Amino acid sequence: MPNATLSSDNAPLRRIRPRAVPTLAAIAAVLVFVAAGQWQQRRMHEKEALRAEFDAATAVAPLDLAARTERTDWNALRYRKVTASGEYDARRQILVDNRVHDGRAGYHVITPLVLTDGRLVLVNRGWTAQGASRAALPQVLPPAGPVTVQGRIAIPPVGAFELAKESTSGSTSGYLWQNIDAARFSAATGRVVLPIVIEAVNPPSGPAREDGLVRDWLAPDFGVEKHEIYMVQWYALAVLAIVLWGTLNLRRSKPSPDE
């Protein structure tokens, strides 16, 4: 009596039989996901290079700003420790709005320093809290007379977004801006300024120099880990697209008599 059960040789097989539309869609998705993953990978390597640049710059001795000429590549000196001597120009002081420290709103106090050779450089003297009313700007005048500033070099962004071109000028209040822009400072004051900002790490040298400003400069967050996470996610989506393509194109079929 013949066996009623189909032998394993006659059992339906599962084979990948590609269909045009899912295949084209899968190819397009994989190409997009891989390209996005590669872009995130490049950005990750760029941020790793910036972090290595920061670590190297902060490990060397401070440079003397007076020894730097107009041909200096300032971008190559970003994050470097620096010392600068001169006198503050209180009339052209800038308060940078909307700066938060420990959850409190306040300002960064940017004061031009007239170097001994006559050049100007902007110094971020630190953070100060906002007063009871925004109508009354804090009075944080710099010390008079010769000072020596120690800090690190920062490169201010160009063309930063601003809600309004707010500017207040006066003998004591100076300017109120939302961002630092060396070109804008030159246009507003008629004075050429170096294209950097010194982030002061302590009060200027000399007696009675303490000014109550907070100089808590954190190391930059280069976002290496963020780009690494995004890279893994995009590559995972590419793998998922391939798996879904295989699942959608896996169909049952009986073997032919010749198989």
Side-chain angles (χ1 to χ4, degrees), residues 93-161:
Q93 182 164 278
I94 304 166
L95 296 180
V96 181
D97 202 359
N98 299 317
R99 294 301 184 264
V100 178
H101 178 74
D102 284 344
R104 297 180 62 192
Y107 310 89
H108 278 176
V109 182
I110 314 295
T111 311
L113 181 69
V114 183
L115 302 175
T116 53
D117 60 9
R119 294 179 299 169
L120 261 67
V121 63
L122 299 178
V123 177
N124 190 337
R125 295 170 48 219
W127 177 90
T128 187
Q130 178 181 306
S133 171
R134 288 178 56 84
L137 297 179
Q139 302 300 314
V140 280
L141 295 178
V147 296
T148 297
V149 177
Q150 297 179 349
R152 71 182 184 190
I153 294 177
I155 307 297
V158 177
F161 175 76

Side-chain angles (χ1 to χ4, degrees), residues 173-202:
S173 59
Y175 300 88
L176 176 62
W177 291 351
Q178 296 182 29
N179 295 286
I180 286 298
D181 188 325
R184 181 182 174 191
F185 176 86
S186 296
T189 63
R191 296 293 303 273
V192 177
V193 64
L194 296 179
I196 63 172
V197 173
I198 298 178
E199 295 177 340
V201 296
N202 50 30

Side-chain angles (χ1 to χ4, degrees), residues 16-225:
I16 294 180
R17 300 172 62 186
R19 289 175 288 185
V21 174
T23 298
L24 292 176
I27 291 174
V30 169
L31 290 176
V32 170
F33 295 153
V34 169
Q38 290 176 334
W39 184 86
Q40 292 291 346
Q41 188 172 15
R42 288 194 299 270
R43 292 292 292 160
M44 180 185 70
H45 291 325
E46 291 171 1
K47 296 299 180 64
E48 286 175 338
L50 284 176
R51 185 159 64 185
E53 177 185 344
F54 174 80
D55 293 339
T58 55
V60 296
L63 57 87
D64 184 1
L65 193 63
R68 299 294 150 176
T69 68
E70 60 183 12
R71 296 182 179 180
T72 299
D73 182 1
W74 296 109
N75 287 316
L77 297 178
R78 178 171 45 185
Y79 309 128
R80 281 290 303 271
K81 298 176 184 177
V82 65
T83 60
S85 298
E87 294 189 24
Y88 280 123
D89 182 356
R91 297 174 304 167
R92 297 182 173 93
Q93 182 164 278
I94 304 166
L95 296 180
V96 181
D97 202 359
N98 299 317
R99 294 301 184 264
V100 178
H101 178 74
D102 284 344
R104 297 180 62 192
Y107 310 89
H108 278 176
V109 182
I110 314 295
T111 311
L113 181 69
V114 183
L115 302 175
T116 53
D117 60 9
R119 294 179 299 169
L120 261 67
V121 63
L122 299 178
V123 177
N124 190 337
R125 295 170 48 219
W127 177 90
T128 187
Q130 178 181 306
S133 171
R134 288 178 56 84
L137 297 179
Q139 302 300 314
V140 280
L141 295 178
V147 296
T148 297
V149 177
Q150 297 179 349
R152 71 182 184 190
I153 294 177
I155 307 297
V158 177
F161 175 76
E162 292 187 351
L163 296 176
K165 293 292 184 181
E166 184 180 11
S167 178
T168 302
S169 61
S171 58
T172 57
S173 59
Y175 300 88
L176 176 62
W177 291 351
Q178 296 182 29
N179 295 286
I180 286 298
D181 188 325
R184 181 182 174 191
F185 176 86
S186 296
T189 63
R191 296 293 303 273
V192 177
V193 64
L194 296 179
I196 63 172
V197 173
I198 298 178
E199 295 177 340
V201 296
N202 50 30
S205 61
R209 298 299 195 187
E210 185 56 53
D211 49 21
L213 297 176
V214 178
R215 284 169 279 268
D216 185 15
W217 310 118
L218 301 177
D221 180 11
F222 296 106
V224 175
E225 293 76 13

